[in-house]
Amino acid sequence: MKLLGALLLLGGAGLWCLTRRREGMLPVKIGRALLADLAVCSYQIRVRRTPLPELLEDILTDGLGADFLWKPLAERLGAEGASLPRCWRESVQALPSPLGKLLAPLGPLLPEGGETLTDAVEETREELAGFLREEAARQASQGRITAALSLAGASLAILVLL
């Protein structure tokens, strides 16, 4: 019975570590998806001159980026009387921090299009890539610390209860 209790404590600590890691990596996963989507968006705008409604309805429809940004943006744009910069601002505010702050400057430039928008998208992609590198390293370090503390706590609880 003691062995079963010890295994349950260790299993609970391990499960807690995995849950924390998954929650912590969500902004990184969304950021990576948006980084890829912005590359597609930049190509479609610069080379193919695809209009934004077509881009949202036909091209940017899959993945975490679509779930967290592109679909809500398309829904907001579908509302009557909705302006593109306001819809963009509302959509990026719903993203995990700091993704919304990184993407917010694109909103006023979306109606302009052209080289200005393309340059802004590329600059945003560079900032986003930098954030993703730093955040992935921070999450890896934080994950090791969390795992060590939770397993040490579980081990101490096992020793006290035995």
Side-chain angles (χ1 to χ4, degrees), residues 17-109:
C17 288
L18 291 174
T19 303
R20 293 280 301 164
R21 177 166 170 75
R22 189 176 329 132
E23 289 172 0
M25 290 300 289
L26 184 63
V28 174
K29 289 179 182 179
I30 294 170
R32 286 180 182 152
L34 290 174
L35 185 64
D37 289 349
L38 284 174
V40 170
C41 188
S42 177
Y43 170 77
Q44 292 292 330
I45 290 170
R46 184 172 21 104
V47 176
R48 301 203 56 222
R49 305 282 187 216
T50 306
L52 186 61
E54 182 181 329
L55 190 63
L56 294 175
E57 292 172 5
D58 298 336
I59 298 169
L60 300 173
T61 58
D62 296 325
L64 282 175
D67 293 339
F68 281 88
L69 180 62
W70 307 118
K71 288 179 184 175
L73 178 62
E75 290 171 4
R76 285 184 176 94
L77 285 173
E80 204 169 308
S83 71
L84 181 56
R86 183 176 57 83
C87 292
W88 179 264
R89 185 177 56 250
E90 291 172 359
S91 296
V92 297
Q93 284 176 349
L95 292 172
S97 180
L99 296 176
K101 290 179 183 175
L102 291 171
L103 295 173
L106 293 178
L109 300 174

